[in-house]
Amino acid sequence: MEIGIGAYVVLSAVLFTLGALGVMLRRNAIIVFMSVELMLNAANLAFVAFARQFNDVNGHLFVFFVITVAAAEVGIGLALIVAIFRTKKSINIDSMNQLKG
Amino acid sequence: MTISTELVLFIIVGVISVASAMFMLLSTNAVHSALFLILNLTTVAFLYLMLEAPFIALVQIAVYAGAIMVLFLFVIMLLGAERLADDEEPQSESSLFGPLAEGGSNQLFAGLVLTIAFALVAGYAVAQGEVELQPQVAHNPELRVAHAAAGIGAVDILLDGELVAEDVNFADSETAEYFELDAGEHTLTINATGTEDTLLSESLTLANDEVKTAVVLIENDAPTIRLIDDDLSTLEERDNARLSFLNIFTDAEAVSVIDLGANQSLDVDDEGNVTDTVWVENLAQNDLAAPIHVPEGELTTWAIVNADTNDILYRLNREELFTVERNTSDLIVIAAEPEMNGGVRARAIPFTADAEPSFGGPESIGALLFSAYLLPFELVSLLLLVAMVGAILLTQRVSVPVEQRKRDVRRRVSRPLASVVAAQTGQNIFAESADSEAQAPGEEPQTQPAGQ
């Protein structure tokens, strides 16, 4: 039995949902960040699956760019977390509410 | 219903992937979360391999599972944050996976099991060889026209009545390029150039995914067309080229393609056998030889030889055309060219085409990256540079200048001095100044912060 693109897209959707749940439920900023990485990764999986389906390498190029942007995002995000931890002594995202109106 | 290896692999690796993502979410220890995420990224890299994206799979492991996760682990350990923010975690979510989410040793055990399962499956799959997948979208057929009919002069080429190439000369291999067509029936018309004289018109049926060359040749003194299937598939060895020979030379029963060696002449032993390397043997008239794979380079020592008489008909070093480039698929037509005295001599005409780079390999991605995606690539590089500078600026401690530090020290010393003065004069000048400072900022004390 051949598996089609559907299975890969479903897996990608499941991983994306898990990542989104992590972003919404967890309070540790670093784990929230890792959940964002999980979501990006799920999107990449869908890209590669569709690239295979349509026999088109452009999808791989997009994955390449997403990985690069994710690297930049992690660099900045972790720097922010370190800076916030210095001032607040906490990385609980509920304590980051100073901009709240 | 047979269950393919691919399905089994997908199910096992998919389950490990989802499980590791869940453990990442439920784990109370941030270090465990990071380790589970590494496992998850590795399983996804394995799925990339199954989807024929080897380059992306390796980038995923090197950049994502390697560099980015090292950064995460570094920050977690730097902040000592592996147990932080636990108190505020909602407890309800761990009811289902409670035993696994709570005990650190259970978690580690689960992670170990998942990792070993993945390593076993991945190792088995690699040992078994590749997983076959067929692309499900067909490509349009492509057709090119090779003019190998001496004596009909320059021609115009029309496809379905539309002029696609004009003034194509005999043996013009430079201008022979592929035309993309829709699948179905097409009419190929060859006109004498600049006129409406139709030399031949033929109807061709092309199916999807077909790549063909229409060789125009002379048969029984009339131009005709011979359709040849071109094999442009990826070559297994990177610095090779695929050569096919088509013999339409009319003045010999059969020809051979022989590498003469350094002495540039045909070596024959006592029994009349050729001792030089024979690449194509006894190619009869109108036959197409099975493709041969040769390393890139110039074919300076090659020659086309009459297979019966061992006469050298054509030396391939005569023109610079015969430089074989890597990863190309070349059709070499051995055609007849008229001579001044009325006879014919052999002439080899190469029609080259690039073989397809392997799907998802570094070559195909690199080619796109440096052509269509050059600007986005530069922008992303710039973004990385900005991110690097940004990370430095964000985490840089504001260093206090030396003079300021000295002033701080002096002030600290001066406070006891003030109290000494107070003790001697009976007047607390320090408290007074502190009071007046406290009063200074606002006339009336604010009970509520502004904006509420």
Side-chain angles (χ1 to χ4, degrees), chain A residues 1 3 26 44 53 58 92, chain B residues 2 4 7 25 27 88 136:
Chain A
M1 194 182 119
I3 61 167
R26 294 300 302 248
N44 283 351
Q53 168 84 357
N58 284 303
N92 188 327
Chain B
T2 55
S4 67
L7 183 68
L25 292 186
S27 167
E88 294 89 350
Q136 280 144 14

Side-chain angles (χ1 to χ4, degrees), chain A residues 1 3 7-8 11 18 22 26-27 37-38 41 44 52-53 55 58 60-61 68 76 85-86 92, chain B residues 2 4 6-7 10 25 27 40-41 47-48 51-52 60 64 79 88-89 136 369 373 380 384 395:
Chain A
M1 194 182 119
I3 61 167
Y8 286 97
L11 179 65
L18 285 174
R26 294 300 302 248
R27 289 290 164 270
E37 297 302 310
L38 189 63
N41 212 46
N44 283 351
R52 188 75 204 86
Q53 168 84 357
N55 203 12
N58 284 303
H60 294 185
L61 262 296
T68 323
I76 289 292
F85 184 77
R86 277 212 200 114
N92 188 327
Chain B
T2 55
S4 67
E6 194 203 347
L7 183 68
F10 177 80
L25 292 186
S27 167
N40 181 269
L41 296 175
L47 292 176
Y48 289 168
L51 286 167
E52 290 186 31
Q60 166 99 353
Y64 240 128
L79 302 184
E88 294 89 350
E89 284 297 327
Q136 280 144 14
L369 206 55
Y373 288 92
V380 163
L384 276 175
T395 47

